[in-house]
Amino acid sequence: MRRRFEKAAPSRVRRGALKSGSWIGGRRAPFRAVWNRNLFAAVKRSVAIPVFAVGGIRTALEVDEVLSSGDADLVGIGRPFYAEPDLPRRILGGDPGPALCLSSNRCVPRRCSA
């Protein structure tokens, strides 16, 4: 990961700017679980086709709440798989354990630094 980052941003100044921007962005817009639930729930109430929920879903409890409430018909989880390749086993097994992917843009670096 480090080599790819250095190749994408060869100068130390550019890498510093990217890291700073990521840090500032994380502080200005902190992660909020299932951040767009009100949006996909409103869509579900308005249409007669299946609704696919994505965005900030990290745990088995969040998946169960979205599906059991009827706010969506399907749930998609993307970036957390970078940090937790065994996430399906945990969710399907009912393990509410701590998520390694704490916010979207920090999932890949967390996995690579472990």
Side-chain angles (χ1 to χ4, degrees):
M1 181 74 180
R2 173 181 241 156
R3 278 181 271 142
R4 290 190 304 194
F5 184 54
E6 289 172 352
K7 185 177 179 183
S11 80
R12 203 178 253 183
V13 172
R14 178 170 249 171
R15 286 192 304 272
L18 290 171
K19 287 178 182 180
S20 297
S22 177
W23 185 84
I24 291 168
R27 295 296 180 264
R28 293 184 68 192
F31 176 76
R32 194 168 43 104
V34 198
W35 59 270
N36 62 349
R37 186 175 189 161
N38 61 330
L39 299 174
F40 62 73
V43 170
K44 176 66 178 159
R45 290 190 302 269
S46 303
V47 300
I49 59 173
V51 172
F52 188 61
V54 297
I57 300 168
R58 301 281 186 269
T59 67
L61 180 61
E62 292 163 354
V63 170
D64 290 340
E65 286 178 354
V66 168
L67 296 176
S68 66
S69 69
D71 287 343
D73 300 296
L74 304 141
V75 173
I77 300 174
R79 290 182 183 141
F81 285 106
Y82 293 129
E84 299 181 73
D86 67 334
L87 190 59
R89 180 190 54 76
R90 285 195 328 103
I91 288 176
L92 294 173
D95 176 9
L100 296 176
C101 182
L102 302 178
S103 66
S104 298
N105 294 329
R106 297 186 185 266
C107 297
V108 175
R110 283 189 184 281
R111 176 69 179 158
C112 293
S113 64

